[in-house]
Amino acid sequence: MEIKRILEESSYYIMNTYDRYPLVLRKGRGMNVWSSDGKEYLDFVGGIAVNILGHCHPRVVIALQKQAQRLLHVSNLYHNEPQIKLAKLLVEHSFADKVFFCNSGAEANEAAIKLARKYAKENMSGNRYEVLTALNSFHGRTLATVTATGQKKFQKGFEPLMPGFRYFDYNDIGSLKKTIGEETCAVMLEPIQGEGGVRLPSPDYLKSVREVCDERGLLLILDEVQTGMGRTGQLFAHEHSEIVPDIMTLAKGLGGGFPIGAMLSSNKVASAFQPGNHASTFGGNPLACAAAVATLETLLEDGFILDQCRRMGSYLVQGLTDLKKEYPSVVAEIRGMGLLVGMELTRECASIVKACMERGIIINCTAGNVVRFTPPLIVREKDIDHMLDILDDILGRLS
Ligand SMILES: *Cc1c(COP(=O)(O)O)cnc(C)c1O
């Protein structure tokens, strides 16, 4: 009966903003998590694309333990070494020259929007402040980022929304061109729409967006909060398209499970921020940065994990494609890049997620009818085989 008491207390004390599964997770290791009643689960959600190295990766845990004994927090009135080390690592492995640290994806996007507006004020002619975003996008839940999010269901009830945002159709370069106006300063885009149902860019779409931004003198902000940190088989998803953004945001996988966000840009754009323009008390906290340094160093070491991610991603897509052939009345489409994979169903996916959970598999549902797989990048063939066997069984019963 313990589980019943925990769930009661949870709903009694915690604000009712999440529709949670009746599952209390207590322990995790690698690909597995265990619930309060001792049941083992194979985790294909990975904290929503966060636990890229699996649960409690020893290098991340040890880095946290060491840093926790040394220094937890100092604020940004002073320098701290883990923050500098992380910034250097990110700069050395990306297009960017400078990094701003914060604590979440929404905050990273807020910082990006503020930087774009400030840069526009100082470097673009006229009065340019407007940021264009795609319909069906997801950029966060603060007032600015929920406005940037091109989905009404997240905005309803919070009006008036922030001025200075307009929307275009994803994967439609003509729609973007038509939406650009006299006040536009930037385009903000997810390389792959994650929350929106794992929607991939059509070939050359990102390249065309970059070209349009260059022609019209606009900044390109790529929201890689979900697609970054190796998720798609490259460190950052835009590397597949051979373009670079002016600003990029990161969070989710960055700390390997520890909360941290970052906003990166070129020197030219970064120079619009001067002391006092933007800040975060916790941003770049030594503990968070130590976790992120350990995560990034592990991810980058000899490219093994990125290679694994690409191979396992193809393996998963192949397996799901076989299931689609077997159950065409339930499975509509398989989409994915690396280990960001979606299985679109012809119906709501809640019952499949529930059935999987009963059988010890954790998967996630997004956009109502898309089963989303975002496992740790260390997922093995046998984990995928096991998950697919159970999914096969469940789909068989449904169709
Ligand atoms: C999750 C997500 C966010 C928001 O991140 P939070 O850390 O929840 O604020 C923003 N953009 C994208 C693309 C995301 O997937």
Side-chain angles (χ1 to χ4, degrees), residues 104-107 109 138-141 190 195 223 225-226 251-252:
S104 68
E107 272 180 77
N109 287 334
F138 186 84
H139 297 294
R141 303 290 204 134
E190 296 159 272
E195 301 298 313
D223 178 348
V225 168
Q226 185 158 163
K252 292 198 165 86

Side-chain angles (χ1 to χ4, degrees), residues 48-49 103-109 137-142 145 149 188-195 223-227 249-252 260-261 372:
I48 317 183
N103 313 285
S104 68
E107 272 180 77
N109 287 334
S137 59
F138 186 84
H139 297 294
R141 303 290 204 134
T142 63
T145 59
T149 293
M188 183 151 105
L189 193 64
E190 296 159 272
I192 297 173
Q193 292 190 330
E195 301 298 313
D223 178 348
E224 294 238 23
V225 168
Q226 185 158 163
T227 55
T249 54
L250 298 174
K252 292 198 165 86
I260 178 168
R372 179 175 45 172

Side-chain angles (χ1 to χ4, degrees), residues 67-364:
Q67 187 58 46
Q69 288 177 338
R70 195 174 294 143
L71 185 67
L72 288 180
H73 178 79
V74 287
S75 88
N76 288 302
L77 295 171
Y78 317 99
H79 300 270
N80 80 74
E81 282 151 326
Q83 184 180 127
I84 300 164
K85 198 168 172 188
L86 178 59
K88 186 168 178 225
L89 264 176
L90 286 168
V91 164
E92 282 172 354
H93 292 91
S94 73
F95 74 95
D97 303 309
K98 293 279 193 290
V99 188
F100 174 84
F101 289 111
C102 51
N103 313 285
S104 68
E107 272 180 77
N109 287 334
E110 284 269 351
I113 294 161
K114 285 181 73 176
L115 180 60
R117 284 188 174 189
K118 187 88 178 6
Y119 178 85
K121 290 259 171 342
E122 288 163 11
N123 296 277
M124 297 180 188
S125 55
N127 178 26
R128 292 181 176 267
Y129 57 87
E130 189 178 67
V131 177
L132 307 185
T133 64
L135 289 165
N136 198 46
S137 59
F138 186 84
H139 297 294
R141 303 290 204 134
T142 63
L143 270 172
T145 59
V146 88
T147 306
T149 293
Q151 300 190 59
K152 287 239 157 46
K153 68 173 179 191
F154 293 115
Q155 300 169 337
K156 202 165 169 279
F158 301 112
E159 299 84 356
L161 298 174
M162 276 276 298
F165 292 88
R166 282 188 308 124
Y167 313 97
F168 57 90
D169 290 317
Y170 184 69
N171 264 340
D172 178 346
I173 201 71
S175 168
L176 171 64
K177 283 183 184 164
K178 266 188 283 177
T179 310
I180 295 168
E182 299 216 318
E183 269 117 39
T184 306
C185 72
V187 174
M188 183 151 105
L189 193 64
E190 296 159 272
I192 297 173
Q193 292 190 330
E195 301 298 313
V198 191
R199 309 246 163 221
L200 301 185
S202 43
D204 289 337
Y205 177 64
L206 294 178
K207 235 179 189 159
S208 307
V209 172
R210 177 74 268 183
E211 279 165 21
V212 168
C213 287
D214 289 342
E215 279 160 21
R216 309 291 290 265
L218 309 178
L219 296 176
L220 175 59
I221 305 169
L222 288 183
D223 178 348
E224 294 238 23
V225 168
Q226 185 158 163
T227 55
M229 301 309 292
R231 174 62 43 193
T232 68
Q234 296 282 1
L235 189 54
F236 307 114
H238 66 261
E239 293 171 27
H240 294 286
S241 314
E242 291 162 355
I243 59 152
V244 293
D246 300 293
I247 301 174
M248 172 173 74
T249 54
L250 298 174
K252 292 198 165 86
L254 181 58
F258 202 91
I260 178 168
M263 187 270 289
L264 296 79
S265 82
S266 62
N267 269 329
K268 182 166 170 255
V269 176
S271 66
F273 268 176
Q274 291 299 314
N277 289 154
H278 195 50
S280 164
T281 300
F282 286 130
N285 164 293
L287 197 58
C289 290
V293 166
T295 303
L296 193 52
E297 281 179 347
T298 308
L299 184 64
L300 291 168
E301 246 162 46
D302 66 36
F304 172 77
I305 295 174
L306 287 178
D307 186 53
Q308 169 91 350
C309 169
R310 288 190 283 269
R311 283 187 295 113
M312 291 302 107
S314 309
Y315 189 72
L316 175 58
V317 165
Q318 186 53 55
L320 291 171
T321 305
D322 292 343
L323 289 180
K324 175 178 177 286
K325 281 183 202 135
E326 217 175 318
Y327 308 109
S329 67
V330 191
V331 183
E333 193 175 40
I334 310 299
R335 300 184 287 265
M337 197 181 263
L339 285 165
L340 178 54
V341 176
M343 175 173 73
E344 185 170 328
L345 304 179
T346 57
R347 59 182 80 181
E348 297 279 297
C349 45
S351 62
I352 291 182
V353 172
K354 186 164 172 279
C356 277
M357 193 169 288
E358 280 159 12
R359 306 275 303 266
I361 305 287
I362 297 186
I363 52 173
N364 167 252

